[in-house]
Amino acid sequence: MTETANDQPAKRHSGRRERSEKAILEATRELIAERGVGGLTIEGVAARSGVAKTTIYRRWRDRDELALAILIDMTAAVNAPPDLGDTRRELLTFVKTASRIIKADRIVQGLVSEIATEPHLSRAYRERIVDVRLAEVKSAIDRGIARGDLRPDTDVRVAHELLVGPLFYRLLFSGAPLNKAHADQVVDAVMRAFAAR
Amino acid sequence: MTETANDQPAKRHSGRRERSEKAILEATRELIAERGVGGLTIEGVAARSGVAKTTIYRRWRDRDELALAILIDMTAAVNAPPDLGDTRRELLTFVKTASRIIKADRIVQGLVSEIATEPHLSRAYRERIVDVRLAEVKSAIDRGIARGDLRPDTDVRVAHELLVGPLFYRLLFSGAPLNKAHADQVVDAVMRAFAAR
Amino acid sequence: MTETANDQPAKRHSGRRERSEKAILEATRELIAERGVGGLTIEGVAARSGVAKTTIYRRWRDRDELALAILIDMTAAVNAPPDLGDTRRELLTFVKTASRIIKADRIVQGLVSEIATEPHLSRAYRERIVDVRLAEVKSAIDRGIARGDLRPDTDVRVAHELLVGPLFYRLLFSGAPLNKAHADQVVDAVMRAFAAR
Amino acid sequence: MTETANDQPAKRHSGRRERSEKAILEATRELIAERGVGGLTIEGVAARSGVAKTTIYRRWRDRDELALAILIDMTAAVNAPPDLGDTRRELLTFVKTASRIIKADRIVQGLVSEIATEPHLSRAYRERIVDVRLAEVKSAIDRGIARGDLRPDTDVRVAHELLVGPLFYRLLFSGAPLNKAHADQVVDAVMRAFAAR
DNA sequence: GACTAAGCGAGACGGTACGTCGCGTCTTAAA
DNA sequence: TTTAAGACGCGACGTACCGTCTCGCTTAGTC
């Protein structure tokens, strides 16, 4: 299944589709960055991207789906923390990465209500983000257990919630900063909560 | 019943004001319960309450402020857990109460984006809810420290986030259930994380 | 039921309604005159009149209703031909007036399909125009019968159709001119068709 | 039924062309019958006929041209009334045939505005229909004159208008029925209007 | 019997207008 | 003075079709 010379079988006919999709996503990202998710408008995207409104609606059902696509695109780009040989460092990396992502462009803040409310978006978010993150945490925790750092009965789901829940709480409600110190505190607490012995 | 000179001196405003305010809030609550925060509309409230739109705008700047009033009203109604003589039970009570409240009528889900986004609402939410909850947790934790259950350097803010963060994460993102078992798991983890010695 | 001094009971509150209605109708008339009924657009009317689209839709269900209002307004403005003492001259006056009206601004041409097709508009047109014209013809014919010019069993409805049918046929299909000579020919034919004896 | 060398020599173009044209016209007729001319849509025709939109546009400039093709096709199918030896009967046949045609599928009602409005369609309709009908009436009237039933100076054009004008007026505006009795009344009136002597 | 050009299906695209919703402002008359 | 009533300008929604425009595939008709 190696990619031989003839490798554009997917390029069906024109690249029109791809060109306009790129323009739409770029305009969307710009608008969100400038005015927040609340200022995201299909008409605005159409105007800025030079694409017809209809073309946007041909690909995304509505405003929220478009925003979700951006969100998933941004979020999914991050990879699992590798095996660093140090459980605490791995969890810290995870938390810091998560922090960085959820702060970006205030997209999460603007979309969380729709995600929590529209079954359609809930499912997409869960499958594309929550489950992926969970798997990342699981691999780190499994290594921690193997190293004898964490107790074998550690509940990955709860550990995940304890790691990221505080971040979202600060982001959405308390307004407290998401910084290195906080990440340290959270990881320390989780390490103690699930320490072996 | 003519308006004679000697009116009740305590009846400050008019009575009309209170009557219509009551009607507005009731209609708002009903609409949120029936159709969620997204289905809450000033026009709908006016129609259902028999009050003019103008009257609503006279009291609340906009849709979000009205919804926030309802949210704060509901949330603030809950009181601090009393001294039960048992740190774990006190924290569990706190978590279970918080669970119950945030699930109510899906108001939090519908409003979180606005809360996280509008500085106006952020501040109101922080002062009226976050700080109050934090104080409640603090009193429970202080008692826990005094009893020798928790370490004296326990960071109340982080402890609070670890207690409620998982709830919000489930509510808003993962969709996992908020039940007694989960509350137990979270409280156990926090107890271990901040156990004395 | 005479109009006494106090005669503006209908002027409910502001004249805003009337002002915007006037602006809408004026813009509509202009657009029809410039570009025909086919070029009549709610958005165009809104733009030209400085009135919001919603305000237009508040008064007329859609494009066709608005155009019909203009049509009826124009058409209904004409009155029955008076008793001229001469049957032929009365019928000729009727035909010439009808000619003039139906040519105006090409509104009839643009609307006829909708009138013939939408039950809603059909009924309005019939009640507001057809029946009125019929009554006008009837009074002329009745006088003609009384004068001994026309046969007593003249069918008014058919006579009416014979008088105006040719006009509409020229207007809509054959494109032949609607002028004095044609009016004469038509009236002469009708006079002969229903001559007494 | 294999395609041997000796295909019909007359089969000029390709066969594909004819096949898709047939499919288009059939779908068009069905759509008009089901939903009226207003419900006729190029996209609908393409969908129903299994033909690409492009193919339709290759043959007809737009929606109206396609509809007109159908209209002319239906209307032109009728032939001139033969010499029946009776002027009144011949005119009656003409009127009844015209009645039947113009009621069919409400096509005339739906198209009349376009016919009256688009110079392109006006001309086509005039040449393909009006003039043809006029010739038919002329031959009947010429025979009537020859027979001594009608006056020699009978204006064929006006007679035609008097015969069909009432039909169109009923069809498009008054909504009165097009039936045998009405045809009789119209023909009687025209016979009297142009009777010899 | 193979080659080549026309005809075709598919469907993406920019565009215009639709009719709707709810916003927040404003004006008036009654209470 | 406060209210109910409701008209208004406005911005955006998501939809329906329009007519145009590549694309490659199919299919005759010619060599």
Side-chain angles (χ1 to χ4, degrees):
Chain A
M1 190 67 80
T2 56
E3 292 280 3
T4 60
N6 178 11
D7 65 325
Q8 54 291 60
K11 182 202 160 202
R12 236 153 301 232
H13 34 291
S14 68
R16 285 210 284 176
R17 180 164 202 121
E18 282 142 39
R19 240 180 300 128
S20 53
E21 178 146 344
K22 191 162 287 183
I24 294 167
L25 291 176
E26 190 182 315
T28 304
R29 251 184 282 268
E30 288 173 18
L31 281 173
I32 290 175
E34 289 171 19
R35 308 214 275 262
V37 177
L40 178 63
T41 282
I42 297 292
E43 303 219 319
V45 172
R48 177 172 299 222
S49 66
V51 145
K53 244 190 345 167
T54 18
T55 299
I56 302 174
Y57 280 112
R58 257 172 220 125
R59 297 211 211 319
W60 295 275
R61 177 185 301 274
D62 58 19
R63 208 198 70 116
D64 292 334
E65 297 252 16
L66 175 56
L68 182 69
I70 298 289
L71 172 58
I72 285 179
D73 181 272
M74 282 178 147
T75 315
V78 188
N79 298 321
D83 183 341
L84 302 172
D86 180 328
T87 303
R88 194 184 172 284
R89 273 184 58 211
E90 287 182 14
L91 293 182
L92 192 58
T93 300
F94 175 81
V95 167
K96 282 158 67 180
T97 302
S99 269
R100 186 166 41 74
I101 293 170
I102 68 179
K103 284 191 294 188
D105 282 344
R106 315 192 69 79
I107 297 186
V108 172
Q109 291 101 310
L111 274 184
V112 52
S113 282
E114 315 291 340
I115 292 170
T117 279
E118 296 285 333
H120 206 238
L121 301 186
S122 301
R123 194 164 40 74
Y125 189 85
R126 205 172 312 140
E127 291 170 1
R128 305 287 302 272
I129 314 265
V130 172
D131 291 352
V132 172
R133 291 288 163 269
L134 197 54
E136 293 172 8
V137 172
K138 182 171 182 351
S139 65
I141 285 183
D142 284 347
R143 285 193 296 269
I145 293 170
R147 286 183 202 113
D149 294 335
L150 302 179
R151 44 202 293 182
D153 67 343
T154 301
D155 183 314
V156 174
R157 183 171 287 273
V158 172
H160 178 217
E161 291 161 0
L162 289 165
L163 287 168
V164 300
L167 307 184
F168 283 108
Y169 188 73
R170 289 196 161 196
L171 183 80
L172 302 173
F173 300 106
S174 85
L178 292 172
N179 52 22
K180 169 102 174 53
H182 183 239
D184 275 324
Q185 285 184 294
V186 169
V187 171
D188 286 342
V190 170
M191 289 293 288
R192 287 198 304 272
F194 297 106
R197 177 119 26 105
Chain B
M1 192 65 83
T2 55
E3 293 278 3
T4 59
N6 180 9
D7 231 12
Q8 299 94 320
K11 181 196 156 203
R12 239 162 300 235
H13 287 324
S14 85
R16 279 217 282 178
R17 181 170 201 107
E18 281 147 38
R19 238 180 301 125
S20 51
E21 177 147 343
K22 190 161 288 182
I24 292 166
L25 292 175
E26 190 181 316
T28 303
R29 252 184 281 268
E30 288 173 17
L31 281 173
I32 289 175
E34 288 172 18
R35 306 214 278 263
V37 177
L40 178 63
T41 286
I42 298 292
E43 306 218 317
V45 172
R48 177 173 299 222
S49 66
V51 143
K53 271 202 306 180
T54 341
T55 304
I56 301 174
Y57 281 110
R58 236 172 249 126
R59 299 212 209 317
W60 294 275
R61 175 187 301 272
D62 58 21
R63 204 197 74 116
D64 293 332
E65 297 251 19
L66 175 56
L68 183 69
I70 297 289
L71 173 58
I72 286 178
D73 180 272
M74 281 178 148
T75 314
V78 190
N79 297 322
D83 183 342
L84 303 171
D86 178 328
T87 303
R88 195 184 171 284
R89 274 184 57 211
E90 288 182 14
L91 293 181
L92 193 57
T93 300
F94 175 81
V95 167
K96 282 159 66 180
T97 301
S99 270
R100 186 167 40 72
I101 293 170
I102 68 178
K103 283 190 295 188
D105 282 342
R106 316 192 68 78
I107 297 186
V108 173
Q109 289 103 308
L111 273 185
V112 53
S113 280
E114 317 291 341
I115 291 170
T117 279
E118 296 285 333
H120 205 241
L121 301 187
S122 301
R123 194 166 40 74
Y125 188 85
R126 203 171 317 138
E127 290 170 2
R128 307 286 303 271
I129 313 268
V130 173
D131 291 351
V132 172
R133 290 290 164 268
L134 197 55
E136 294 171 8
V137 173
K138 181 173 184 347
S139 65
I141 284 182
D142 284 348
R143 287 193 295 269
I145 293 169
R147 285 184 201 111
D149 294 333
L150 302 179
R151 43 203 291 179
D153 66 345
T154 300
D155 183 315
V156 174
R157 184 170 287 272
V158 171
H160 177 216
E161 291 161 0
L162 288 165
L163 287 168
V164 301
L167 306 184
F168 283 108
Y169 188 72
R170 290 198 160 196
L171 183 80
L172 302 173
F173 300 106
S174 85
L178 293 172
N179 53 23
K180 170 98 172 58
H182 183 240
D184 275 325
Q185 286 182 293
V186 169
V187 171
D188 285 344
V190 170
M191 289 293 289
R192 287 197 305 271
F194 297 105
R197 178 111 26 108
Chain C
M1 191 67 82
T2 55
E3 293 279 2
T4 60
N6 178 12
D7 66 327
Q8 55 290 60
K11 182 201 156 202
R12 235 153 301 233
H13 34 290
S14 68
R16 283 211 286 174
R17 177 163 204 123
E18 283 143 40
R19 239 178 301 127
S20 53
E21 178 147 344
K22 190 161 288 183
I24 293 167
L25 292 176
E26 190 182 315
T28 303
R29 251 184 281 268
E30 288 173 16
L31 281 174
I32 290 176
E34 289 172 18
R35 305 214 277 263
V37 178
L40 178 64
T41 281
I42 298 293
E43 302 218 318
V45 173
R48 178 173 298 224
S49 66
V51 145
K53 246 189 344 167
T54 18
T55 299
I56 301 173
Y57 281 111
R58 257 173 220 125
R59 296 211 212 317
W60 295 276
R61 177 186 300 275
D62 57 20
R63 208 198 69 115
D64 292 335
E65 297 253 16
L66 175 55
L68 182 69
I70 297 290
L71 173 58
I72 286 179
D73 181 90
M74 282 177 150
T75 315
V78 188
N79 297 322
D83 184 341
L84 303 171
D86 179 328
T87 303
R88 194 183 172 286
R89 272 185 58 211
E90 289 182 12
L91 293 182
L92 192 58
T93 300
F94 175 81
V95 167
K96 283 157 67 180
T97 302
S99 269
R100 186 167 40 74
I101 293 170
I102 68 178
K103 283 191 294 189
D105 282 343
R106 316 193 69 79
I107 297 186
V108 173
Q109 291 100 311
L111 272 185
V112 52
S113 281
E114 316 291 339
I115 291 170
T117 280
E118 296 285 333
H120 207 238
L121 302 186
S122 301
R123 193 165 41 74
Y125 188 85
R126 203 172 313 140
E127 291 171 1
R128 306 287 302 272
I129 313 266
V130 173
D131 291 352
V132 172
R133 290 290 163 266
L134 198 54
E136 293 171 8
V137 172
K138 183 174 184 345
S139 65
I141 284 182
D142 283 348
R143 286 193 296 270
I145 293 169
R147 288 183 200 112
D149 295 333
L150 301 178
R151 41 201 294 180
D153 65 344
T154 300
D155 184 314
V156 174
R157 184 170 286 272
V158 171
H160 177 219
E161 291 162 1
L162 288 165
L163 287 167
V164 301
L167 307 183
F168 283 108
Y169 188 73
R170 290 197 161 196
L171 184 80
L172 301 174
F173 300 107
S174 85
L178 293 173
N179 52 23
K180 169 99 174 58
H182 183 241
D184 275 324
Q185 285 183 292
V186 169
V187 171
D188 285 343
V190 169
M191 288 293 288
R192 289 197 303 272
F194 297 105
R197 182 97 34 97
Chain D
M1 191 65 83
T2 56
E3 291 278 4
T4 60
N6 180 7
D7 232 12
Q8 300 94 321
K11 181 192 156 206
R12 238 162 301 236
H13 286 324
S14 85
R16 279 215 285 176
R17 182 172 200 106
E18 281 145 39
R19 237 179 301 126
S20 52
E21 179 148 342
K22 190 162 286 182
I24 292 167
L25 292 175
E26 190 182 315
T28 304
R29 252 183 281 269
E30 288 174 17
L31 281 174
I32 290 176
E34 287 171 20
R35 308 214 278 261
V37 177
L40 178 63
T41 285
I42 298 293
E43 304 218 317
V45 173
R48 178 173 299 221
S49 65
V51 143
K53 266 200 310 179
T54 341
T55 303
I56 301 174
Y57 280 110
R58 243 173 239 128
R59 298 212 210 317
W60 294 276
R61 177 187 300 274
D62 59 20
R63 206 198 73 116
D64 292 333
E65 297 253 18
L66 175 56
L68 182 69
I70 297 290
L71 173 57
I72 286 179
D73 181 89
M74 280 178 149
T75 316
V78 189
N79 297 321
D83 183 342
L84 303 171
D86 179 328
T87 303
R88 194 185 173 284
R89 272 184 58 211
E90 289 182 15
L91 294 182
L92 192 58
T93 300
F94 174 81
V95 167
K96 283 158 67 181
T97 301
S99 269
R100 186 166 40 74
I101 293 170
I102 69 178
K103 284 191 294 189
D105 281 344
R106 317 190 68 78
I107 296 186
V108 173
Q109 290 101 310
L111 273 185
V112 52
S113 281
E114 316 290 341
I115 292 170
T117 278
E118 298 284 333
H120 207 240
L121 302 186
S122 302
R123 193 165 40 75
Y125 188 86
R126 206 172 311 138
E127 291 170 3
R128 307 287 302 271
I129 314 267
V130 173
D131 291 351
V132 173
R133 291 287 164 268
L134 197 55
E136 294 171 6
V137 173
K138 181 171 181 358
S139 65
I141 284 182
D142 283 347
R143 286 192 296 269
I145 294 169
R147 285 183 202 112
D149 295 334
L150 302 178
R151 44 202 291 181
D153 66 343
T154 301
D155 184 315
V156 175
R157 184 170 286 273
V158 171
H160 178 217
E161 290 162 0
L162 288 166
L163 287 168
V164 301
L167 307 184
F168 283 108
Y169 189 73
R170 290 197 161 195
L171 183 80
L172 301 173
F173 300 106
S174 86
L178 293 172
N179 52 24
K180 171 101 173 54
H182 183 240
D184 275 325
Q185 286 183 291
V186 169
V187 170
D188 285 345
V190 169
M191 289 292 289
R192 287 197 304 271
F194 296 106
R197 174 131 21 115

